[in-house]
Amino acid sequence: MDWRKRMSDNIAYALLVYTGLQIFVTIHALKAGSTSLLPYLALVVLVAAIIPACRMFESRWIGISDEAAADPALRGPFRRDAILLWMLAIGLPFVLTGIFKGIAAIA
């Protein structure tokens, strides 16, 4: 088992899920009658936010040695990072779009 490859795969799938959710959430916000530019701004902010997060996760795992990449003792840290990655990928579109919708409602 190569933890580097597994993290890379998780990042790729999380980005696909994140992008799909972000498109869905943004389109839903636009259909809800938002005439401001805030949903588009939310889309830009969310894209800008996820890329550094994914790079952080990948850089943590890509730099480990071949021996460490096969070390079963890294299962715990891998699971922690994978869970955090998926929480960001699934939760971030809803949280930030909700914030932008709240700002639009106030303005």
Side-chain angles (χ1 to χ4, degrees), residues 14-82:
L15 282 170
L16 288 172
V17 168
Y18 170 84
T19 302
L21 281 173
Q22 183 52 44
I23 290 168
F24 172 77
V25 170
T26 301
I27 288 174
H28 181 69
L30 290 172
K31 284 183 180 179
S34 178
T35 58
S36 73
L37 293 175
L38 284 175
Y40 297 108
L41 180 60
L43 186 61
V44 170
V45 168
L46 285 169
V47 168
I50 197 70
I51 293 170
C54 287
R55 288 182 64 130
M56 178 194 70
F57 285 112
E58 191 166 35
S59 68
R60 186 178 307 170
W61 289 95
I62 202 73
I64 65 174
S65 69
D66 289 342
E67 290 135 10
D71 186 357
L74 291 179
R75 181 177 190 75
F78 173 82
R79 299 276 297 163
R80 180 199 65 226
D81 283 356

Side-chain angles (χ1 to χ4, degrees), residues 3-18:
W3 298 117
R4 298 171 296 194
K5 179 168 177 5
R6 289 194 66 192
M7 182 54 70
S8 183
D9 289 347
N10 269 275
I11 289 169
Y13 292 128
L15 282 170
L16 288 172
V17 168
Y18 170 84

